[in-house]
Amino acid sequence: MITLLVAALALAPVQIPDGFLLTEKAARAPQSEVDRAESWWRISDRTTAPLTLNPCGRKRVSPAGRSAVRTIVHDTSAPSHSSEQLLIHRSAGAARAAMRTLLADARRCRTQPHGKPYSWGGDGKTSWVVTRTRTGDEAALMHLMMYDKLNKEWAPLLSGIVARKGRALILYTGDQDTFGHSRAGAVRTLRKTAARMAAKVCALPSICA
């Protein structure tokens, strides 16, 4: 009986408490009129939301296997872009499958010839670079790189990390304006932030058991 009860609790839906994400306090704080003109926060609990690291440009994802999702996106007039996303799955197996799908997407849609970011005007191509890292139970660093034909070099457009801890997937992303031009600095910030949430998420029931 006790074994069945433990198994049932492990598979029970888990909700994400208000204020749980690291950027949520700032995202929900009242803004002045001046701030609203320069900084935009979006918070969503949509369970069909695609991952914020989205190499193949998926518009939506089936909610099957997901228990709860919270996505926070921050854009500024700089311009800059960053995001935080926490996904609670119904089992660790479902979270592992979601991680595998993301990494498979990064391989399948690794190179795109038609990128049109900023001042490059479509001259370059984009490529996802993925590196495994040690955070939580498993994790990967992902960088969307753009080839700048003018300067003949690859430059990062977006850097992010996806980490799995038990039933949870944790994602953080940011662009050059968010992290600065140092790729090593971006990696340190991403790993530190993801590790903080990986420890915090274990306070939720049955996530890391």
Side-chain angles (χ1 to χ4, degrees):
M1 181 65 71
I2 293 176
T3 301
L4 290 175
L5 179 60
V6 170
L9 288 173
L11 294 174
V14 176
Q15 299 303 310
I16 300 171
D18 288 345
F20 190 79
L21 272 63
L22 302 182
T23 58
E24 197 164 341
K25 183 178 180 180
R28 295 189 185 276
Q31 289 183 290
S32 68
E33 186 174 343
V34 172
D35 289 340
R36 287 196 300 271
E38 297 181 352
S39 178
W40 308 281
W41 292 95
R42 299 193 304 277
I43 305 174
S44 171
D45 288 341
R46 186 164 57 95
T47 56
T48 57
L51 298 182
T52 51
L53 289 167
N54 191 4
C56 294
R58 297 177 184 271
K59 299 296 184 183
R60 67 186 299 277
V61 175
S62 168
R66 291 180 172 187
S67 177
V69 177
R70 183 160 299 153
T71 306
I72 299 178
V73 176
H74 186 215
D75 293 295
T76 76
S77 59
S80 69
H81 173 85
S82 61
S83 69
E84 179 180 20
Q85 189 175 47
L86 176 62
L87 304 96
I88 306 299
H89 292 79
R90 296 185 182 277
S91 67
R96 281 192 295 269
M99 181 87 166
R100 287 196 301 269
T101 297
L102 173 58
L103 298 182
D105 278 356
R107 292 190 296 270
R108 183 164 62 88
C109 301
R110 184 175 67 87
T111 301
Q112 300 291 333
H114 51 271
K116 297 182 179 179
Y118 309 120
S119 60
W120 283 292
D123 287 340
K125 63 180 180 179
T126 58
S127 181
W128 285 92
V129 177
V130 178
T131 307
R132 286 283 192 170
T133 189
R134 297 181 65 181
T135 304
D137 295 329
E138 57 178 328
L141 292 157
M142 298 178 62
H143 302 276
L144 178 61
M145 308 296 289
M146 172 76 185
Y147 186 71
D148 177 3
K149 286 187 176 181
L150 181 63
N151 295 307
K152 295 182 171 57
E153 65 179 8
W154 287 91
L157 294 179
L158 183 75
S159 295
I161 189 169
V162 53
R164 184 184 67 82
K165 185 66 176 179
R167 294 164 56 183
L169 276 194
I170 300 158
L171 294 95
Y172 291 93
T173 73
D175 57 13
Q176 275 191 338
D177 196 76
T178 300
F179 294 126
H181 287 263
S182 168
R183 187 168 167 182
V187 167
R188 285 194 297 271
T189 299
L190 288 165
R191 291 185 63 184
K192 181 179 179 180
T193 308
R196 183 180 170 191
M197 179 52 75
K200 185 177 182 181
V201 80
C202 287
L204 298 178
S206 306
I207 297 300
C208 301

